[in-house]
Amino acid sequence: MKKKNMGKMVTILILLLISGVYIIPIIMMVFGSFKTQGEALQMNLSLPKQLQFENYKHVIETGGILRGYTNSLFITVTAVAVIIVFGAMTGIIISRRDDKKGRGLYYYFVFGLTATMQMVTTYALVLKLNLYGSYLSVILVLAAVNLPFAVMTFSSYVKGIPREIDEAAVMDGCHSFQLIFKILLPIMKPITITNLIIAAIGIWNNFQVPLYLMSSSERTTIPMMIFNFYGLYSRDWNYVFAALVITVLPIVILYLCLQKYIVEGMTSGAVKG
């Protein structure tokens, strides 16, 4: 019994140490966003002597953060919607078809998980399609990058849903789209929210794709705004910290609100796959 308790304590201690690697920089960032320039340059975990709310006001007024928010929000919401809709439909088709075409499609998306995005060829394709500099180019590329994972997780989850549900819905007069969006998708709520969170975090924080495919400063996203802001205020870490807090806050809130579905969705998909 003592050995078990000792093992649990060691495990907890190790997990706390690992958590500290992630938590300490976050605490430093939040505290630093309320400090003066001199205090923030010390890069420590001390509390600010006086809360400097002016840091946030300065960042919002001079950093173009609100414009970046609008662009990132539009790109993220649209791309995630594409990923969820097409990922769910494709995953359902793959899981319900037991033939060569279904298996071929399955392995096609498996390859998509292992293949890395080649920015040079992607850039050339976007130019060829006359999409360079548009929101659509960024949305389609980011959706394509995240779609294989969504398809695989949806497909794995649907395998655990009895086919009798499909048959009963068809007998009641449901056509294909009604079956997917009115019957199966509500059942797949945990894996849907899992994909929503994972895709939203990746797309919101993506820097590379907008950097190469956006030509207008009016369409720059939050990560690009932060990059430009840091270039102007590289020694004003109080402003940099404030900008980072503003940037990560929406995703952190979204994750905290929906985190229980991520665990449920991933574990259910793993068991049902």
Side-chain angles (χ1 to χ4, degrees), residues 77-105:
V77 170
T78 308
V80 168
V82 171
I83 292 165
I84 296 299
V85 171
F86 288 95
M89 289 194 297
T90 308
I92 290 170
I93 292 170
I94 288 175
S95 65
R96 289 308 196 225
R97 291 189 61 163
D98 189 19
D99 54 18
K100 288 184 178 181
K101 290 183 179 179
R103 287 191 291 272
L105 193 60

Short mmCIF file of all heavy atoms in Angstrom, two decimals, residues 77-105:
data_model
loop_
_atom_site.label_atom_id
_atom_site.label_comp_id
_atom_site.label_asym_id
_atom_site.label_seq_id
_atom_site.Cartn_x
_atom_site.Cartn_y
_atom_site.Cartn_z
N VAL A 77 -13.35 30.74 -38.19
CA VAL A 77 -14.74 30.24 -38.18
C VAL A 77 -15.08 29.58 -39.51
O VAL A 77 -15.66 28.48 -39.55
CB VAL A 77 -15.73 31.39 -37.89
CG1 VAL A 77 -17.16 30.94 -38.12
CG2 VAL A 77 -15.55 31.89 -36.47
N THR A 78 -14.70 30.20 -40.62
CA THR A 78 -15.02 29.64 -41.93
C THR A 78 -14.28 28.34 -42.18
O THR A 78 -14.87 27.35 -42.64
CB THR A 78 -14.67 30.66 -43.04
OG1 THR A 78 -15.26 31.92 -42.75
CG2 THR A 78 -15.17 30.17 -44.39
N ALA A 79 -12.98 28.33 -41.89
CA ALA A 79 -12.18 27.11 -42.12
C ALA A 79 -12.65 25.96 -41.24
O ALA A 79 -12.75 24.82 -41.69
CB ALA A 79 -10.71 27.40 -41.87
N VAL A 80 -12.96 26.25 -39.98
CA VAL A 80 -13.44 25.20 -39.07
C VAL A 80 -14.78 24.65 -39.54
O VAL A 80 -15.02 23.43 -39.48
CB VAL A 80 -13.54 25.75 -37.63
CG1 VAL A 80 -14.31 24.77 -36.74
CG2 VAL A 80 -12.16 26.01 -37.05
N ALA A 81 -15.66 25.52 -40.03
CA ALA A 81 -16.94 25.06 -40.56
C ALA A 81 -16.74 24.11 -41.74
O ALA A 81 -17.41 23.07 -41.83
CB ALA A 81 -17.80 26.26 -40.98
N VAL A 82 -15.82 24.46 -42.63
CA VAL A 82 -15.51 23.58 -43.77
C VAL A 82 -14.97 22.24 -43.29
O VAL A 82 -15.37 21.17 -43.78
CB VAL A 82 -14.49 24.27 -44.71
CG1 VAL A 82 -14.00 23.29 -45.79
CG2 VAL A 82 -15.10 25.49 -45.36
N ILE A 83 -14.07 22.28 -42.32
CA ILE A 83 -13.46 21.05 -41.79
C ILE A 83 -14.52 20.15 -41.15
O ILE A 83 -14.54 18.93 -41.39
CB ILE A 83 -12.37 21.41 -40.76
CG1 ILE A 83 -11.19 22.08 -41.47
CG2 ILE A 83 -11.88 20.16 -40.02
CD1 ILE A 83 -10.25 22.79 -40.52
N ILE A 84 -15.39 20.73 -40.33
CA ILE A 84 -16.41 19.94 -39.64
C ILE A 84 -17.39 19.32 -40.63
O ILE A 84 -17.70 18.12 -40.56
CB ILE A 84 -17.17 20.80 -38.61
CG1 ILE A 84 -16.22 21.29 -37.49
CG2 ILE A 84 -18.33 20.01 -38.00
CD1 ILE A 84 -15.58 20.18 -36.68
N VAL A 85 -17.90 20.13 -41.56
CA VAL A 85 -18.91 19.64 -42.50
C VAL A 85 -18.35 18.55 -43.41
O VAL A 85 -18.90 17.44 -43.50
CB VAL A 85 -19.47 20.81 -43.34
CG1 VAL A 85 -20.37 20.28 -44.46
CG2 VAL A 85 -20.26 21.77 -42.46
N PHE A 86 -17.24 18.85 -44.07
CA PHE A 86 -16.69 17.88 -45.02
C PHE A 86 -16.00 16.72 -44.32
O PHE A 86 -15.99 15.60 -44.82
CB PHE A 86 -15.74 18.59 -46.00
CG PHE A 86 -16.44 19.45 -46.99
CD1 PHE A 86 -16.61 20.80 -46.76
CD2 PHE A 86 -16.98 18.91 -48.15
CE1 PHE A 86 -17.27 21.62 -47.67
CE2 PHE A 86 -17.64 19.70 -49.07
CZ PHE A 86 -17.80 21.06 -48.83
N GLY A 87 -15.41 17.00 -43.14
CA GLY A 87 -14.79 15.92 -42.38
C GLY A 87 -15.82 14.92 -41.89
O GLY A 87 -15.60 13.71 -41.95
N ALA A 88 -16.96 15.43 -41.41
CA ALA A 88 -18.02 14.54 -40.93
C ALA A 88 -18.62 13.73 -42.07
O ALA A 88 -18.80 12.50 -41.95
CB ALA A 88 -19.12 15.36 -40.24
N MET A 89 -18.92 14.39 -43.18
CA MET A 89 -19.52 13.67 -44.31
C MET A 89 -18.58 12.60 -44.84
O MET A 89 -18.99 11.45 -45.08
CB MET A 89 -19.90 14.65 -45.42
CG MET A 89 -21.08 15.54 -45.09
SD MET A 89 -21.76 16.40 -46.55
CE MET A 89 -20.35 17.41 -47.02
N THR A 90 -17.31 12.95 -45.01
CA THR A 90 -16.35 11.98 -45.54
C THR A 90 -16.11 10.84 -44.56
O THR A 90 -16.03 9.67 -44.95
CB THR A 90 -15.01 12.68 -45.86
OG1 THR A 90 -15.25 13.83 -46.67
CG2 THR A 90 -14.06 11.74 -46.58
N GLY A 91 -16.00 11.18 -43.27
CA GLY A 91 -15.78 10.15 -42.26
C GLY A 91 -16.93 9.16 -42.19
O GLY A 91 -16.74 7.95 -42.04
N ILE A 92 -18.15 9.67 -42.31
CA ILE A 92 -19.33 8.80 -42.28
C ILE A 92 -19.35 7.87 -43.49
O ILE A 92 -19.61 6.67 -43.39
CB ILE A 92 -20.62 9.65 -42.22
CG1 ILE A 92 -20.73 10.33 -40.85
CG2 ILE A 92 -21.86 8.78 -42.48
CD1 ILE A 92 -21.82 11.37 -40.76
N ILE A 93 -19.06 8.43 -44.66
CA ILE A 93 -19.05 7.62 -45.89
C ILE A 93 -18.00 6.52 -45.80
O ILE A 93 -18.25 5.36 -46.14
CB ILE A 93 -18.80 8.52 -47.12
CG1 ILE A 93 -20.00 9.43 -47.35
CG2 ILE A 93 -18.53 7.67 -48.37
CD1 ILE A 93 -19.78 10.51 -48.37
N ILE A 94 -16.80 6.88 -45.32
CA ILE A 94 -15.72 5.89 -45.21
C ILE A 94 -16.10 4.77 -44.25
O ILE A 94 -15.87 3.59 -44.52
CB ILE A 94 -14.42 6.58 -44.74
CG1 ILE A 94 -13.85 7.45 -45.87
CG2 ILE A 94 -13.38 5.55 -44.29
CD1 ILE A 94 -12.64 8.26 -45.47
N SER A 95 -16.67 5.14 -43.11
CA SER A 95 -16.99 4.13 -42.10
C SER A 95 -18.15 3.24 -42.50
O SER A 95 -18.25 2.09 -42.06
CB SER A 95 -17.30 4.82 -40.77
OG SER A 95 -18.47 5.61 -40.87
N ARG A 96 -19.06 3.76 -43.32
CA ARG A 96 -20.25 2.99 -43.71
C ARG A 96 -20.05 2.18 -44.99
O ARG A 96 -20.85 1.29 -45.28
CB ARG A 96 -21.44 3.93 -43.88
CG ARG A 96 -21.97 4.53 -42.58
CD ARG A 96 -22.27 3.48 -41.55
NE ARG A 96 -23.10 3.97 -40.46
CZ ARG A 96 -22.88 3.73 -39.19
NH1 ARG A 96 -21.81 3.02 -38.83
NH2 ARG A 96 -23.69 4.17 -38.26
N ARG A 97 -19.00 2.46 -45.76
CA ARG A 97 -18.75 1.72 -46.99
C ARG A 97 -17.66 0.68 -46.75
O ARG A 97 -16.57 1.01 -46.32
CB ARG A 97 -18.33 2.65 -48.12
CG ARG A 97 -19.44 3.55 -48.60
CD ARG A 97 -19.04 4.29 -49.85
NE ARG A 97 -18.72 3.40 -50.96
CZ ARG A 97 -18.65 3.79 -52.22
NH1 ARG A 97 -18.87 5.06 -52.53
NH2 ARG A 97 -18.36 2.94 -53.18
N ASP A 98 -17.96 -0.55 -47.07
CA ASP A 98 -16.97 -1.62 -46.91
C ASP A 98 -16.61 -2.17 -48.30
O ASP A 98 -16.92 -3.30 -48.65
CB ASP A 98 -17.54 -2.73 -46.02
CG ASP A 98 -16.47 -3.76 -45.66
OD1 ASP A 98 -15.28 -3.44 -45.79
OD2 ASP A 98 -16.84 -4.88 -45.26
N ASP A 99 -15.99 -1.30 -49.11
CA ASP A 99 -15.58 -1.71 -50.46
C ASP A 99 -14.24 -1.08 -50.79
O ASP A 99 -13.65 -0.36 -49.98
CB ASP A 99 -16.65 -1.32 -51.49
CG ASP A 99 -16.99 0.16 -51.43
OD1 ASP A 99 -16.20 0.93 -50.86
OD2 ASP A 99 -18.05 0.56 -51.95
N LYS A 100 -13.76 -1.32 -52.00
CA LYS A 100 -12.43 -0.83 -52.39
C LYS A 100 -12.39 0.69 -52.43
O LYS A 100 -11.38 1.29 -52.05
CB LYS A 100 -12.06 -1.41 -53.76
CG LYS A 100 -11.73 -2.89 -53.73
CD LYS A 100 -11.28 -3.37 -55.10
CE LYS A 100 -10.91 -4.85 -55.06
NZ LYS A 100 -10.45 -5.35 -56.39
N LYS A 101 -13.46 1.32 -52.88
CA LYS A 101 -13.47 2.78 -52.94
C LYS A 101 -13.40 3.39 -51.54
O LYS A 101 -12.68 4.37 -51.32
CB LYS A 101 -14.73 3.25 -53.66
CG LYS A 101 -14.74 2.94 -55.15
CD LYS A 101 -15.99 3.50 -55.81
CE LYS A 101 -15.98 3.20 -57.31
NZ LYS A 101 -17.20 3.71 -57.98
N GLY A 102 -14.14 2.81 -50.61
CA GLY A 102 -14.10 3.30 -49.24
C GLY A 102 -12.73 3.14 -48.61
O GLY A 102 -12.22 4.06 -47.96
N ARG A 103 -12.13 1.98 -48.81
CA ARG A 103 -10.79 1.73 -48.26
C ARG A 103 -9.75 2.61 -48.95
O ARG A 103 -8.82 3.09 -48.30
CB ARG A 103 -10.43 0.25 -48.40
CG ARG A 103 -11.20 -0.65 -47.44
CD ARG A 103 -10.63 -2.06 -47.43
NE ARG A 103 -10.89 -2.75 -48.70
CZ ARG A 103 -11.98 -3.45 -48.95
NH1 ARG A 103 -12.93 -3.57 -48.03
NH2 ARG A 103 -12.14 -4.06 -50.12
N GLY A 104 -9.91 2.81 -50.25
CA GLY A 104 -8.98 3.69 -50.97
C GLY A 104 -9.04 5.11 -50.45
O GLY A 104 -8.01 5.77 -50.27
N LEU A 105 -10.25 5.59 -50.20
CA LEU A 105 -10.42 6.93 -49.64
C LEU A 105 -9.84 7.02 -48.24
O LEU A 105 -9.22 8.04 -47.87
CB LEU A 105 -11.91 7.27 -49.61
CG LEU A 105 -12.30 8.72 -49.35
CD1 LEU A 105 -11.72 9.64 -50.41
CD2 LEU A 105 -13.82 8.86 -49.30
#
